[in-house]
Amino acid sequence: MPAAAGPAGTARARAEIDLDAVRDNVRTLRGYALGAELMAVVKSDGYGHGAVPCARAARQAGATWLGAATPEEAFALRDAGDRGRILCWLWTPGGPWREAVERDIDVSASGGWALEEIVAAARATGRTARVHLKADTGLGRNGCQPADWPALVAAARAAEAEGTVKVTGIWSHFACADEPGHPANAAQLAAFREALAVAERAGLDPEVRHHANSPATLTLPESHFDLVRTGLSVYGLSPAPEVGTAAGLGLRPAMTLSASLALVKRVPGGHGVSYGHTYTTPGETTLGLVPLGYGDGLPRHASGAGPVLVAGKWRTIAGRVAMDQFVVDLGGDLPVTGDRAVLFGPGDDGEPTAEDWARAAGTISYEIVTRISSRVPRVYVNENTGGDGPA
Ligand SMILES: *Cc1c(COP(=O)(O)O)cnc(C)c1O
């Protein structure tokens, strides 16, 4: 059968993104966090799924917030017409605060320097900046340490009094929520409650208090507060095996990565395969060439290990993953050039999942989907089944 018409390059390989799955996942996650609002985190191009179409689908399913890491990601959502609340949290000195304030984006401050830059941007625009103050409750990454928190809170309260800032959020982030029962989780929540109490005593009255990522949304109701920030689970993947399987959690993986076999050929036994000859055919066999490699975002660490569904069976990558291609040993089976190889998907048709790839490459499914590069065309399925359009 000839390949169906589609975006340029889809005959070689494509990442199909099922936007109905994104909508269903958002609805499912809202069910886990009843009483809280939901932020769909669409950083890093929607974990590789395409930030704009996934954001639109998430809005249709009731996400009242979008989350972006960099200001550029937030601006791209506005450029695409999104008018809802957007939080953007990864800032550096001299960042485009003014544009963020002008474009109605909620920004985040983890220290006094950031608040000062926000106040300056607000003064320059004549608008009130919406700020989420971030506490470090134990992650040890971004966020304000408890010792510096009272000063940050006081400075924010002073800026509120002069009308340059409104503290719309107080928030933090978990270190170990993907390990349910880890003692750091309870310790972080206790530290967060303390940070909230300090802020309230100083006169702050945030609209949303938020601490939960996907694993906490799925396993730790006391972390939900007013808003949950879900990323990976929006795309239908489980944050960790300890949290549950995607199906067990009611989630549906949205991305299916597949390619057409670029070549199928018979080779004799004892034939080395791919760079370094780390695989040698055990006997006469059929090799299939899959035209995807680390230039497409596949992990080279999946060499000799990554699973692929070809002609109804799981095959293992034979030898090394190269920049543009890898080989599978098809044994006695005889698929033909052009047949489809499915690297991962929801698993419905027996294909591997991103979780299987994560295991094969010694990483997490977050990295598997996020790294799929722009060389692989995204093809959107069920793009227009979600109702009236973006909020
Ligand atoms: C990425 C991120 C999230 C989403 O995490 P998931 O585990 O993908 O749900 C939430 N909050 C912050 C600050 C993040 O950086």
Side-chain angles (χ1 to χ4, degrees):
M1 238 177 32
T10 54
R12 175 181 71 100
R14 62 181 184 270
E16 262 177 35
I17 314 297
D18 181 354
L19 294 175
D20 268 350
V22 170
R23 292 184 195 97
D24 287 346
N25 294 330
V26 167
R27 290 188 194 103
T28 298
L29 291 164
R30 289 175 65 204
Y32 278 92
L34 288 175
E37 294 185 62
L38 183 136
M39 175 188 292
V41 178
V42 296
K43 62 190 180 187
S44 203
D45 202 22
Y47 294 48
H49 295 66
V52 166
C54 290
R56 197 171 286 142
R59 290 287 199 203
Q60 289 165 344
T64 48
W65 288 80
L66 297 177
T70 69
E72 292 73 22
E73 290 172 340
F75 300 153
L77 296 167
R78 283 282 181 258
D79 290 344
D82 191 278
R83 302 199 178 290
R85 297 295 286 276
I86 299 174
L87 172 64
C88 169
W89 54 72
L90 193 57
W91 291 90
T92 44
W97 301 103
R98 188 173 164 164
E99 185 176 354
V101 173
E102 281 168 345
R103 302 190 79 178
D104 250 342
I105 287 160
D106 284 57
V107 298
S108 176
S110 290
W113 69 266
L115 193 63
E116 282 165 24
E117 295 200 4
I118 293 164
V119 167
R123 286 194 184 127
T125 59
R127 304 178 65 140
T128 302
R130 286 200 297 258
V131 182
H132 296 227
L133 299 180
K134 186 169 194 181
D136 182 356
T137 56
L139 174 60
R141 202 174 69 178
N142 213 345
C144 180
Q145 277 287 302
D148 303 321
W149 183 248
L152 181 62
V153 158
R157 185 67 197 114
E160 280 194 342
E162 66 165 29
T164 44
V165 156
K166 168 72 186 129
V167 175
T168 46
I170 292 188
W171 71 303
S172 189
H173 193 39
F174 278 113
C176 305
D178 56 342
E179 297 176 58
H182 192 293
N185 298 333
Q188 285 198 259
L189 285 180
F192 189 54
R193 289 199 186 89
E194 181 54 31
L196 287 172
V198 169
E200 278 157 27
R201 279 199 296 274
L204 296 181
D205 181 22
E207 213 180 303
V208 284
R209 303 160 299 153
H210 50 111
H211 204 301
N213 53 3
S214 289
T217 300
L218 294 163
T219 66
L220 198 57
E222 59 267 43
S223 71
H224 293 170
F225 296 95
D226 305 308
L227 172 70
V228 296
R229 303 187 309 273
T230 48
L232 189 76
S233 53
V234 165
Y235 309 100
L237 298 169
S238 167
E242 297 88 318
V243 173
T245 62
L249 294 164
L251 301 172
R252 184 173 163 72
M255 183 190 290
T256 300
L257 178 65
S258 67
S260 294
L261 292 179
L263 184 65
V264 173
K265 64 184 179 188
R266 294 290 290 172
V267 298
H271 205 299
V273 174
S274 192
Y275 294 132
H277 279 179
T278 59
Y279 181 82
T280 304
T281 56
E284 186 183 341
T285 190
T286 305
L287 297 180
L289 180 64
V290 180
L292 283 168
Y294 61 78
D296 300 291
L298 297 184
R300 188 169 175 274
H301 276 97
S303 295
V308 190
L309 182 74
V310 183
K313 286 188 203 156
W314 277 34
R315 325 285 174 165
T316 302
I317 296 177
R320 288 201 183 137
V321 174
M323 186 181 291
D324 315 303
Q325 36 193 310
F326 66 84
V327 175
V328 287
D329 187 340
L330 299 166
D333 296 325
L334 292 171
V336 297
T337 298
D339 276 1
R340 200 161 179 239
V342 184
L343 285 73
F344 58 81
D348 298 349
D349 297 319
E351 75 276 14
T353 61
E355 183 60 38
D356 293 316
W357 271 77
R359 210 173 299 116
T363 182
I364 53 177
S365 62
Y366 289 80
E367 187 178 357
I368 296 296
V369 290
T370 302
R371 286 174 65 119
I372 299 305
S373 77
S374 59
R375 190 163 72 170
V376 179
R378 270 54 171 181
V379 177
Y380 292 94
V381 181
N382 298 320
E383 191 152 21
N384 297 312
T385 57
D388 301 334

